[in-house]
Amino acid sequence: MNIGEIARRAGVSRSTVSYVLSGKRAVSEPTRQRIQAVIDELDYRPNANARALKEGRTRTLGLVIPPASQRLTDMQLGFVASVVEAAARADLDVLLSPSGGDHDRSFERIVTGRRVDGVILMEIRLEDDRVTRLRQSRLPFVTIGRTAEPTGTSWVDVDYEGLIARCVHHLADLGHRHVALVNRSAELVAAGYGPGHRALAGFSHAVAERGLTGVDLCCGDDAPAGEAAMSRLLTTRPEVTAVATINEAALPGVQRALAAEGRLVPRDFSVVGVAAAHWAEDFRPPLSAADVPTLEMGAEAVALLLERIAAPTAAPRHHLYQPPISLRASTAPPPPP
Amino acid sequence: MNIGEIARRAGVSRSTVSYVLSGKRAVSEPTRQRIQAVIDELDYRPNANARALKEGRTRTLGLVIPPASQRLTDMQLGFVASVVEAAARADLDVLLSPSGGDHDRSFERIVTGRRVDGVILMEIRLEDDRVTRLRQSRLPFVTIGRTAEPTGTSWVDVDYEGLIARCVHHLADLGHRHVALVNRSAELVAAGYGPGHRALAGFSHAVAERGLTGVDLCCGDDAPAGEAAMSRLLTTRPEVTAVATINEAALPGVQRALAAEGRLVPRDFSVVGVAAAHWAEDFRPPLSAADVPTLEMGAEAVALLLERIAAPTAAPRHHLYQPPISLRASTAPPPPP
DNA sequence: TTGTAAGCGTTATCAG
DNA sequence: CTGATAACGCTTACAA
């Protein structure tokens, strides 16, 4: 079923059919109706590839996600969902590419196959090969997260550095003197994962600024890792009275370790961090935390990408999110010594 | 950058370039090398759309996911990840379509836009418009989950009916006489969501077969809903000593409600069900449960789809998974009355 | 108001 | 062993 067939059945030329489809040229009402009737009858829709070939644009966005081998976190999933949703609202399709390493066939297909008008990249490292690759291609792209030197690219990111600093200040204000940072996994941090590094930087600065003692630890992205890390912390550093964290998936484990040691939150121990709302609300008591606005960020990433596609030479823009810390019930002054 | 440019620079015809790319025709070693050098230098890769147009196939699979508005469950996410991964292994790209209702533009684009060689559908209802729609198109498709009458389509699914029945039998064997089913949300069940209905059927049959009393309840897919449902159950039906569930996301809430009522698992109360391994392992004590093999199922869905694409007229196949119930530590005989 | 025809970047057939 | 050339299905000047 192609446009020629419709034209034949309606007794018109292909261009006329094309014009009733696009509305880019006036078509007399009778012919328009006749053609439309045929289209409806055969449920015809133009071949998207042929159209893309002719128009030079695909109406498709590429979304590069971390490989599935490591389970996606809730936050990553939130980004995927919101990007797809925002794209759908703009009548754009999304082509998914799971890719980690740099010799990635799927990623290369996306970049050089001209199947997409632009790309959104997630899980950005401070030094990121994929960003380098995309920069040297002419393909518009936007990153969720940012490299160490993001100038010249469009991005959205969460201000982990500022947020964690604010958490530490909040704890210091309450009187805590010994605080800890529960970071993401050691592998991630070693690989130069931005949020891990920036959270640590914010933590270190704030701790120094307030004259606290701070200990930072890496922790896998799941409850068992959180439990292990936390119980180790509680036994090796009993003086610590509060933690800040960016590792939401570890929270259930953190909770269990605290419970196992008989430390009541917030009476004996305070917890604060950045985490998706449902993790925070599932904590007992509800966790004071900055909620990462994944929905908004995904939509904004799409918007920025559409800008870049429309005006590739315009100055890139970015959006650094610093969501407020929702005070719930997990922080209090430290217990008397 | 196109094939003509490569041909020009290498001083050969476009067809020769095409043939060194595809290897479908012998090319003399010197010219091959010359052409390859130009290709490498310019990092040329053929335009996937043009190729798709010419070849009549897109090397792309469509994956229809539930709309992002409702957060995807871990299981759904597992399917998405495994499908994308399996497709990537076969050098196929995946086009995502978030679609719920039937007037869905994104879904229609996938079905009629000829941008994909086949489609994988998730979250199948017993009566599913999308399946109906795909059946009447000529597009090969595979469903993860199945309709009430799946004959004639290829699918993979989990045998919720059999699995929940086995759970009930297990509880009956231990001596439980009053058991409950914690199902998925009322909306989902009302919408004809297959697993909800099949789990209920399996539950009802097994309960009847063993002469037990059974109560079934719907429960939203999150911890707060689980907590609410469970504490209601414990107060209104104090005689119930065990639950079976297919609602993994409710488990943390179930746990909390049990703890709040002072019911110790498994001494006072048994819990069993079907849930992803990490949910089961996060339960305290670890939950006896059948683990849904999402990774395997996603890969199998892709394999079945490739079969259908290769041989559209061959008999459709399916694969009903009945993973074993991993006995962990959450079931025991009921407490003495 | 409509039709003709060129061309988007490929691949494959047919000659040479 | 290689080169023209005709499709694939569409859009869009340019003609009429």
Side-chain angles (χ1 to χ4, degrees), chain A residues 43-121:
Chain A
D43 192 28
Y44 164 78
R45 216 120 347 167
N47 181 313
N49 277 313
R51 170 181 289 190
L53 184 57
K54 179 63 188 160
E55 290 189 328
R57 65 193 197 120
T58 60
R59 300 163 192 270
T60 304
L61 267 30
L63 177 59
V64 178
I65 62 173
S69 33
Q70 72 244 39
R71 265 181 60 234
L72 268 79
T73 65
D74 273 39
M75 219 178 73
Q76 292 165 350
L77 175 59
F79 287 136
V80 173
S82 63
V83 164
V84 170
E85 196 88 343
R89 275 198 301 273
D91 279 330
L92 296 168
D93 289 316
V94 172
L95 203 58
L96 230 50
S97 164
S99 69
D102 37 353
H103 309 285
D104 201 283
R105 294 213 301 287
S106 159
F107 181 67
E108 279 304 319
R109 277 201 305 272
I110 291 265
V111 177
T112 58
R114 277 156 294 173
R115 319 196 60 196
V116 299
D117 296 332
V119 174
I120 293 177
L121 227 51

Side-chain angles (χ1 to χ4, degrees), chain B residues 105-120:
Chain B
R105 295 213 299 288
S106 159
F107 181 68
E108 280 304 319
R109 278 201 305 273
I110 291 263
V111 176
T112 59
R114 278 156 296 175
R115 318 195 60 194
V116 299
D117 296 332
V119 174
I120 292 177

